[in-house]
C-alpha cells in the first residue's frame, strides 16, 4: 500500500509512522515539515481541560490518547528521544474563583480515574518554590508534557529509518490518484491522507464539501530560558477566570502560553501578545523577569466547524483526513495516528474514533 500524506505536522508524521509499522510505504509531502502549530506548541499533556466538560466523545478520545502515550513514546524512543515527561502537572489557584475551578477539576478527574491530590498553600510552595503564593493546588502525578520539537524530530527519524520519504514541497491539488505539487510534479498514491492543519481544505481538486473548512485560531507563545530550570514541573496557573500554562523543559526552557485570537491566517507576533504573556507570567512567577528571553512565536491552531478533530475517510474514495485538532493536537497524536493507521489498513478503527469521521459534515 502506497500512502501519501499531505502535511508533516505532528498529526501527519505520527500517522505516517504508525502506517509504516503496519507495512505501508509512506511519502510525507510538506514544504517545511513540523514548522507550524506543531513547532510552537507547548506540548502540555494535562490531566484534562474545560474543553472536555460535557463532551463525552471527545473525552473518550482524549482518555484513550492519554492511555496510549507511554507506549507510543516507548516505541518511538527505539528510534530517537521523544522529549516526554510524566512527572506531574500542578494546577495552582491564585484567587478564590480558581479554588472552585480546582474543586471542579478534581471531581472531573476522580470521575475518570485520573489521580489528583489536593494541596494547600505550603505544599504548593514546596513543590514550585518559584511561584508567587498560591491559595491551593491540585497535583496530577501521572500527567506531564512532551516537547513537540523533539517529538516531531523523532517521528521524522523513525519514518526515514523505516524507508519512508519526506518531500519538501506543497501539495496544490489532487488529480485522481495523484497529488500535484507546486513544482508541477505528481506523486501517485493508493491512499491519501490530508493532514495539512488549517491549510487542509485549501488543497484543490476534491469535490465541494468533501473536506470541511479548517479555520485558523492564532496562538502566541513565549519561551524563556534559565540554567538551572526555574520551575520543577509542568503547571497551570489559574487566576481571573483564565489559565496560563507553564511548561519547563529539562534543558532550562520555560514555555509560557498562550493567546487565543481569531484573526484569519495572520501569524504575526505582536507587542500586545508579548506584553500580555510577560505580564501574566510575572504575576505568578516573580523571578521570570530575570530569565533570558528566548523566543516569541505565533502559529495557527486548526479548528474544524465543530471544534472537534476530523479523523477518517472522506466521501472521495481513497482520500482520508486527519486535521482539526484545535488546542489538543499533541495530546491527541497517539490516538489519531492509531485510528488513521487502522483506517488505512482496512482494519476496524477503534470505537472511540468513530464519532470524528469527516462524514459528519456531509
Ligand atoms: P500543523 O502542525 O499546523 O501542521 C500542518 C502542516 O501542513 C505544516 O507543517 C504545513 O507546512 C503543512 N502544509 C500546509 N499546507 C500544505 C500543503 N498544501 N501541502 C503540504 N503540506 C502543507 N496542543 C496540545 O495538545 N498541547 C499544547 O500544549 C498545545 N499548545 C499550543 C500552543 C499554541 C500557541 C498553538 C498554536 C497550538 C497549541 N496546541 C497544543 C495545538 C497543537 O499545536 C495543534 O493541534 C497541532 O500541532 C496540530 O497539528 P497538525 O499536524 O494538524 O498541524
Amino acid at each position: 500500500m502506497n500512502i501519501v500524506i499531505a502535511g508533516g505536522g505532528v498529526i501527519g508524521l505520527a500517522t505516517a509512522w504508525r502506517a509504516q509499522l503496519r507495512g505501508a510505504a509512506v511519502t510525507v509531502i510538506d514544504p517545511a515539515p513540523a514548522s507550524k502549530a506543531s513547532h510552537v506548541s507547548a506540548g502540555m499533556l494535562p490531566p484534562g481541560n474545560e474543553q472536555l466538560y460535557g463532551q463525552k466523545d471527545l473525552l473518550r478520545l482524549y482518555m484513550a490518547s492519554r492511555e496510549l502515550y507511554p507506549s507510543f513514546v516507548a516505541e518511538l524512543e527505539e528510534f530517537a528521544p521523544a522529549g516526554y515527561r510524566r512527572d506531574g502537572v500542578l494546577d495552582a489557584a491564585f484567587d478564590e474563583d480558581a479554588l472552585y475551578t480546582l474543586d471542579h477539576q478534581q471531581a472531573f478527574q476522580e470521575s475518570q480515574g485520573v489521580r489528583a491530590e489536593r494541596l494547600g498553600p505550603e505544599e504548593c510552595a514546596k513543590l514550585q518554590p518559584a511561584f508567587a503564593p498560591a491559595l491551593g493546588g491540585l497535583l496530577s502525578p501521572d500527567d506531564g508534557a512532551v516537547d513537540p520539537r523533539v517529538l516531531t524530530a523523532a517521528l521524522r527519524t523513525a519514518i526515514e529509518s523505516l524507508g519512508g520519504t519526506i518531500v519538501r514541497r506543497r501539495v496544490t491539488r489532487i488529480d485522481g490518484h495523484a497529488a500535484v505539487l507546486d513544482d508541477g510534479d505528481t506523486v501517485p498514491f493508493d491512499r491519501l491522507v490530508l493532514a495539512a492543519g488549517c491549510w487542509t481544505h485549501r488543497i484543490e481538486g476534491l469535490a465541494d464539501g468533501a473536506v470541511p473548512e479548517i479555520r485558523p485560531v492564532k496562538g502566541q507563545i513565549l519561551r524563556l530560558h534559565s540554567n538551572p530550570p526555574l520551575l520543577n514541573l509542568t503547571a497551570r496557573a489559574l487566576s481571573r477566570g483564565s489559565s496560563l500554562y507553564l511548561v519547563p523543559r529539562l534543558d532550562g526552557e520555560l514555555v509560557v502560553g498562550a493567546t487565543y485570537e481569531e484573526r484569519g491566517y495572520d501569524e504575526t507576533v505582536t507587542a500586545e501578545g508579548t506584553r500580555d504573556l510577560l505580564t501574566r507570567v510575572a504575576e505568578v512567577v516573580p523571578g521570570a523577569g530575570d530569565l533570558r528571553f528566548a523566543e516569541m512565536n505565533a502559529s495557527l491552531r486548526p479548528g474544524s466547524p465543530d471544534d472537534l478533530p476530523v479523523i477518517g475517510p472522506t466521501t472521495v474514495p481513497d482520500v482520508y483526513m486527519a486535521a482539526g485538532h484545535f488546542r489538543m493536537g499533541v495530546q491527541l497524536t497517539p490516538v489519531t495516528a492509531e485510528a488513521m493507521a487502522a483506517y488505512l489498513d482496512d482494519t476496524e478503527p477503534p470505537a472511540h474514533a468513530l464519532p470524528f469521521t469527516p462524514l459528519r459534515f456531509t
Side-chain angles (χ1 to χ4, degrees):
M1 177 79 74
N2 167 24
I3 292 171
V4 166
I5 298 183
V10 71
I11 296 295
L13 292 172
T15 297
W17 173 53
R18 297 313 288 187
Q20 281 179 301
L21 294 181
R22 293 178 181 232
V26 305
T27 305
V28 178
I29 305 173
D30 191 316
S35 64
K36 294 297 189 179
S38 305
H39 180 71
V40 313
S41 173
M44 174 105 182
L45 303 175
N49 63 40
E50 67 289 352
Q51 260 201 299
L52 301 172
Y53 300 160
Q55 289 276 3
K56 233 173 62 202
D57 291 334
L58 184 61
L59 178 59
R60 277 178 72 208
L61 192 74
Y62 174 81
M63 293 308 290
S65 208
R66 180 178 176 276
E67 185 95 21
L68 278 173
Y69 239 104
S71 60
F72 178 88
V73 164
E75 283 182 58
L76 186 57
E77 289 201 327
E78 288 172 21
F79 299 90
Y84 179 58
R85 62 190 288 186
R86 195 182 182 219
D87 52 358
V89 172
L90 172 66
D91 284 300
F94 290 91
D95 60 27
E96 292 288 337
D97 284 351
L99 282 176
Y100 289 114
T101 306
L102 290 189
D103 292 341
H104 200 229
Q105 171 84 20
Q106 185 174 11
F108 166 77
Q109 288 184 216
E110 281 167 1
S111 74
Q112 297 305 312
V114 175
R115 282 206 293 157
E117 196 185 315
R118 200 60 188 258
L119 307 179
E122 297 79 25
E123 289 160 305
C124 287
K126 211 162 142 199
L127 213 53
Q128 206 79 287
F131 265 4
L135 302 185
L138 191 66
L139 176 65
S140 306
D142 301 326
D143 293 271
V146 66
D147 184 340
R149 295 175 181 184
V150 180
L151 179 70
T152 50
L155 287 167
R156 288 161 71 177
T157 302
I159 290 167
E160 291 181 330
S161 307
L162 293 171
T165 309
I166 300 179
V167 177
R168 288 177 165 265
R169 300 244 56 114
R170 181 176 305 283
V171 177
T172 56
R173 73 191 157 83
I174 308 306
D175 184 3
H177 274 71
V180 182
L181 310 190
D182 50 1
D183 61 357
D185 270 5
T186 55
V187 182
F189 59 79
D190 297 319
R191 289 192 171 163
L192 171 77
V193 179
L194 300 170
C198 63
W199 297 272
T200 300
H201 63 286
R202 292 181 153 192
I203 295 172
E204 295 176 353
L206 297 168
D208 276 355
V211 172
E213 185 171 331
I214 304 296
R215 79 182 191 288
V217 181
K218 180 176 173 181
Q220 298 191 58
I221 190 162
L222 168 69
R223 282 172 163 82
L224 303 173
H225 202 277
S226 66
N227 190 6
L230 186 62
L231 297 190
N232 299 328
L233 79 169
T234 308
R236 288 181 294 193
L238 313 177
S239 66
R240 293 200 294 272
S242 79
S243 144
L244 183 73
Y245 47 77
L246 300 147
V247 185
R249 312 273 185 227
L250 296 175
D251 69 357
E253 181 176 83
L254 175 62
V255 187
V256 182
T259 69
Y260 294 90
E261 305 165 60
E262 302 260 1
R263 293 181 191 274
Y265 284 88
D266 168 30
E267 292 174 87
T268 353
V269 168
T270 63
E272 175 62 25
T274 311
R275 188 194 60 84
D276 175 40
L277 293 178
L278 283 171
T279 307
R280 287 165 69 196
V281 68
E283 282 169 8
V284 292
V285 184
D290 294 329
L291 302 192
R292 180 167 67 80
F293 186 100
E295 287 177 42
M296 183 73 194
N297 303 109
S299 196
L300 305 172
R301 302 174 184 91
S304 75
D306 58 10
D307 286 343
L308 298 173
V310 186
I311 304 167
T314 70
T315 49
V316 181
D318 297 325
V319 176
Y320 296 74
M321 189 169 169
H325 291 72
F326 198 31
R327 293 167 57 179
M328 297 175 62
V330 180
Q331 293 159 60
L332 297 176
T333 290
V335 79
T336 301
E338 254 338 286
M340 286 305 299
Y343 277 120
L344 293 167
D345 193 30
D346 287 328
T347 50
E348 187 72 22
H352 47 247
L354 298 179
F356 298 96
T357 84
L359 305 178
R360 71 184 187 273
F361 297 111
T362 54

